[in-house]
Amino acid sequence: MTGARMTTLAQLRGSIERIETHSDTYAPDRVSLGHAEADAALQGGLARGTMHEVFAEGRHSAAATGFVAGLAHRVSAKRPLLWIRQDFSERECGALAMSGWRELGLDPRLLVTVRAPDVETALRTTADALACDALGSVVLETWGDSKQFDLVASRKLTLAARGSGVTCLLLRTASVPASSTAETRWIIRSAHSPPFRPWQSWGAPMLDVQLVRNRHGPNGQWIMEWKCDECVFRDTSAHPQPVAAAPANRSHQTSARAQRRAS
């Protein structure tokens, strides 16, 4: 029994060493997010078959969930998404609403959710799920800091993602970033969302997106809009806000006010 464990440990160490030795030459497939500056920083888009981390404060959990949902849709290529949630995270943030999923332009039929009682179970389930290459991506959502989320656990998830080509997305709410093997690390906050049309009470989903770790390019920070019809992220500066038109008789009113001041 001890010999078998030592053999397994040696194989794991060898795999980790190969990942770290060849990390600079590893060239994963990339998918565009739709945001020109972010895609340029990512050398063409988000890398598939790797691990990415998304962090958010508790009050920004909805924005981070939407961001991760958008990333998962972009990398999954119409394959199923498995979303693994720690029980405590669901109690704090609420359940994933399928009506909201549809409003984001996403297909709830491609979403499978799993609830895990604790972080250890969630990590083990995620590693097992990443071995299934029929999935497009796997999301692991947890709440708060945990000693189980160490560098060894991070390496295991990276190994599993690279072995199958399935993208792993970690959604960490109310947690502090630590050392990891993640390809990218993001910090997400909600951004002001003015109504898209005068008669609409809800505006377009807007996110304050900060890329704080990028293994193969620069970091950056952008305000992104999620385009629900196209299912892509866009730069808000490319879509200027409408400006109220001047009244047709403005020159007459201005002249009248000037005459009153003179008198």
Side-chain angles (χ1 to χ4, degrees):
M1 190 69 174
T2 303
R5 289 179 178 175
M6 293 299 294
T7 300
T8 302
L9 182 59
Q11 291 174 345
L12 179 59
R13 285 174 174 169
S15 299
I16 292 172
E17 184 178 356
R18 285 192 296 273
I19 285 180
E20 294 177 339
T21 302
H22 302 290
S23 60
D24 294 333
T25 60
Y26 179 67
D29 181 32
R30 296 181 181 274
V31 59
S32 169
L33 300 184
H35 188 284
E37 291 186 6
D39 284 337
L42 295 169
Q43 308 299 308
L46 197 73
R48 284 186 171 127
T50 58
M51 186 183 69
H52 305 273
E53 295 177 326
V54 176
F55 285 82
E57 298 176 8
R59 60 195 178 97
H60 295 289
S61 61
T65 299
F67 179 72
V68 170
L71 293 184
H73 174 82
R74 298 298 298 165
V75 301
S76 292
K78 297 184 179 180
R79 289 185 294 170
L81 159 65
L82 183 64
W83 195 299
I84 300 165
R85 308 188 82 199
Q86 179 189 359
D87 274 347
F88 190 78
S89 181
E90 180 153 322
R91 288 197 295 269
E92 289 291 327
C93 304
L96 297 175
M98 294 302 98
S99 58
W101 202 262
R102 285 191 294 269
E103 288 178 4
L104 290 175
L106 308 177
D107 187 353
R109 294 172 298 178
L110 296 176
L111 173 65
V112 179
T113 59
V114 174
R115 290 179 58 182
D118 50 52
V119 173
E120 185 176 357
T121 303
L123 281 168
R124 187 168 57 251
T125 305
T126 302
D128 291 342
L130 287 170
C132 178
D133 58 9
L135 297 173
S137 57
V138 176
V139 174
L140 170 58
E141 179 184 354
T142 61
W143 180 281
D145 294 317
S146 173
K147 63 180 181 181
Q148 286 89 350
F149 254 115
D150 56 13
L151 189 56
V152 173
S154 176
R155 285 169 172 165
K156 287 181 179 179
L157 295 181
T158 297
L159 277 170
R162 289 192 178 181
S164 64
V166 178
T167 306
C168 180
L169 301 168
L170 303 186
L171 175 53
R172 308 283 308 278
T173 307
S175 177
V176 177
S179 298
S180 76
T181 57
E183 182 79 7
T184 64
R185 177 180 294 155
W186 309 76
I187 296 177
I188 306 300
R189 303 176 183 87
S190 57
H192 179 62
S193 179
F196 185 62
R197 294 286 187 269
W199 59 85
Q200 289 178 326
S201 58
W202 296 100
M206 306 285 281
L207 304 168
D208 182 345
V209 177
Q210 187 176 5
L211 177 61
V212 297
R213 173 185 170 89
N214 183 5
R215 292 178 67 89
H216 300 287
N219 297 333
Q221 185 169 8
W222 310 276
I223 300 297
M224 291 186 182
E225 176 185 353
W226 173 251
K227 304 293 288 184
C228 300
D229 293 334
E230 305 168 47
C231 289
V232 295
F233 295 96
R234 292 296 189 199
D235 182 1
T236 57
S237 64
H239 307 281
Q241 296 297 320
V243 179
N249 59 347
R250 182 174 180 178
S251 59
H252 170 73
Q253 291 175 335
T254 303
S255 176
R257 285 196 296 269
Q259 289 177 359
R260 285 198 296 270
R261 290 195 200 98
S263 61

